[in-house]
Amino acid sequence: MNYHANEKGYYGEFGGSFVPEMLYPNMEELQENYLEIMADPDFKKEFQGLLKDYVGRPSPLYLAERLSDKYKAKIYLKREDLNHTGAHKINNTIGQILVAKRLGKKRIIAETGAGQHGVATATVCALAGLDCTVYMGEIDIARQAPNVARMKMLGARVVPATSGSKTLKDATNEAIRAWINNPVDTHYIIGSVVGFHPYPDMVARFQSVISEEMKWQLKEHEGTENPNYVIACVGGGSNAAGAFYHYLDDENVKLVAVEAAGKGVNSGESAATSILGKIGIIHGSKTILMQTADGQIVEPYSISAGLDYPGVGPQHAHLFQTRRAEFLNATDDEAMEAGLELSKLEGIIPAIETAHALAVLSKISFKPDDIVVINLSGRGDKDLNTYIKYFNLA
Ligand SMILES: *Cc1c(COP(=O)(O)O)cnc(C)c1O
């Protein structure tokens, strides 16, 4: 079984590029150049140099002893929360800004939901001296004020998306529309392994540094490169794609993808795409997405803004369909409790997205010598207000 994209960007039946004709020149320019650019030794040197000196990589692989005691397995945390800007998203934006520069682009556009990808994009635009516009749903702008302020400080323009539900999906539509109107000098930095070919593959390759490091770090700690389990939360799926990447072909490593169940899978307020979704096309890619019988996209819900996307990337749809990855889910309540538990047991406050991955520890029966790696995708500073309200901490 092949779990990687073929040359047309298909993972089994999922993926591809379903875009309006007006976008063909941009899409083809990227498709024809991304692999060559990424393989260029100068590019690699610059990318790796920035990951080391600007992002702070390698991120530590930390044996969480008190968490391990509690769940009766050897649990490691891959500390993406310690990256500059507080999550894994910067790995991808650094990579894409370097691609944009090599393609001679002068302007960058991006979409953002909670604002994390917008901040990571505004950051690398400041670094590279490129003009930056971030599209963000009007509702998200209102509820994510600190990230809007960060983007502005970093020199980005934040443009409200006022159509539809005024959230992430609408911001993505708006960014694609802006690209169609401004194709020549502009690059669109997508924030997850979603969208048309080559985005899912390109973003997964940039995030694959996560599992590349996990291999040598586990070798140092345990004398083996392979854990028994890799667990990661899935919104669009980029942190999971990076954590799974170098283990996809090693079927002894169990891959666990965790979706947000919101108020419960059958509550009507959920983002558990693999269970609730059907095959369809969103943002240029064939995948699994939440939709009504006549193909209208269903609004997802999760307490964590980073997980409420109505689809998953096409690679994840393929991993789900082939059962290469096991798809579990966690409710808002389960995630919040898991976030508090990690804070108390290990002194690490995780992002609420990440807390969903932690919440499945109690749902898997481990053997005592199982080695488990959880991808700690981000830190919880941005979520403090949600934690405060939920646990009455004020
Ligand atoms: C954005 C985000 C996610 C979800 O995005 P993926 O593409 O699924 O990784 C998860 N965790 C954190 C901390 C995020 O900021």
Side-chain angles (χ1 to χ4, degrees):
M1 185 69 71
N2 178 22
Y3 300 111
H4 291 277
N6 71 14
E7 68 284 0
K8 298 252 181 243
Y10 276 93
Y11 303 83
E13 68 172 295
F14 300 108
S17 36
F18 301 85
V19 300
E21 215 173 306
M22 303 273 289
L23 268 183
Y24 283 9
N26 296 61
M27 181 183 78
E28 284 167 359
E29 183 182 40
L30 265 183
Q31 288 176 349
E32 284 160 16
N33 290 295
Y34 82 108
L35 289 176
E36 201 175 314
I37 291 175
M38 288 176 70
D40 175 52
D42 283 343
F43 178 92
K44 284 189 177 168
K45 196 166 161 231
E46 198 176 355
F47 181 53
Q48 283 157 7
L50 285 170
L51 288 185
K52 176 169 176 282
D53 297 328
Y54 188 73
V55 175
R57 303 201 72 92
S59 68
L61 184 72
Y62 164 68
L63 175 61
E65 290 195 13
R66 290 189 359 110
L67 196 68
S68 298
D69 276 351
K70 164 128 201 209
Y71 291 103
K72 310 275 184 276
K74 259 189 157 171
I75 302 173
Y76 285 88
L77 305 176
K78 180 59 174 157
R79 298 291 309 276
E80 294 300 299
D81 60 316
L82 295 178
N83 293 340
H84 180 44
T85 69
H88 64 290
K89 293 215 167 66
I90 191 89
N91 303 325
N92 168 48
T93 58
I94 294 262
Q96 284 202 50
I97 200 87
L98 296 181
V99 168
K101 278 205 327 199
R102 277 164 178 75
L103 291 174
K105 305 296 178 183
K106 301 281 179 271
R107 298 180 61 234
I108 297 296
I109 55 174
E111 85 296 338
T112 196
Q116 292 303 106
H117 174 58
V119 169
T121 301
T123 299
V124 298
C125 286
L127 179 71
L130 294 186
D131 182 89
C132 182
T133 305
V134 178
Y135 295 88
M136 186 168 186
E138 203 167 39
I139 291 187
D140 290 333
I141 288 181
R143 59 183 180 187
Q144 305 291 338
N147 274 342
V148 174
R150 280 186 191 105
M151 287 184 262
K152 289 184 176 166
M153 267 191 88
L154 293 161
R157 249 182 321 281
V158 181
V159 177
T162 55
S163 63
S165 58
K166 305 181 175 58
T167 58
L168 176 59
K169 146 181 85 60
D170 312 286
T172 307
N173 291 337
E174 208 63 52
I176 291 175
R177 204 166 300 138
W179 207 19
I180 290 174
N181 291 331
N182 246 310
V184 180
D185 66 343
T186 302
H187 174 68
Y188 176 20
I189 300 189
I190 291 187
S192 190
V193 284
V194 301
F196 47 86
H197 179 56
Y199 282 106
D201 185 49
M202 181 168 65
V203 176
R205 285 169 187 262
F206 286 137
Q207 293 293 359
S208 72
V209 65
I210 298 172
S211 48
E212 189 184 315
E213 289 173 3
M214 271 160 50
K215 284 197 140 185
W216 63 257
Q217 289 172 320
L218 272 178
K219 182 92 183 165
E220 270 182 20
H221 281 282
E222 295 287 340
T224 169
E225 293 186 338
N226 289 3
N228 299 90
Y229 292 85
V230 179
I231 304 176
C233 66
V234 171
S238 67
N239 87 86
F244 294 171
Y245 196 91
H246 291 286
Y247 294 116
L248 286 168
D249 296 324
D250 204 325
E251 310 257 351
N252 292 324
V253 180
K254 295 190 185 76
L255 307 176
V256 180
V258 186
E259 295 180 313
K263 296 188 174 159
V265 169
N266 296 313
S267 66
E269 290 181 86
S270 177
T273 307
S274 66
I275 299 180
L276 298 170
K278 292 193 293 278
I279 294 173
I281 290 171
I282 184 168
H283 300 137
S285 164
K286 186 173 171 191
T287 187
I288 299 174
L289 61 134
M290 290 165 48
Q291 53 190 318
T292 60
D294 56 356
Q296 296 288 334
I297 290 168
V298 172
E299 285 308 322
Y301 163 81
S302 164
I303 194 167
S304 87
L307 299 185
D308 66 0
Y309 185 69
V312 288
Q315 185 179 38
H316 291 294
H318 183 55
L319 296 178
F320 173 71
Q321 198 186 53
T322 58
R323 298 170 188 255
R324 173 65 188 94
E326 183 178 7
F327 279 67
L328 300 179
N329 57 74
T331 62
D332 288 358
D333 292 338
E334 290 167 337
M336 295 304 283
E337 290 298 338
L340 186 63
E341 179 179 84
L342 188 74
S343 309
K344 297 225 153 121
L345 284 181
E346 298 290 345
I348 298 169
I349 302 175
I352 298 174
E353 290 85 358
T354 314
H356 286 74
L358 295 158
V360 304
L361 284 173
S362 60
K363 305 183 182 194
I364 300 173
S365 32
F366 299 111
K367 294 198 233 42
D369 55 358
D370 276 345
I371 300 169
V372 179
V373 179
I374 298 181
N375 196 36
L376 212 77
S377 58
R379 61 178 177 241
D381 308 37
K382 70 183 176 63
D383 295 319
L384 217 55
N385 270 329
T386 312
Y387 279 126
I388 288 169
K389 267 193 226 144
Y390 188 89
F391 291 113
N392 265 319
L393 301 171

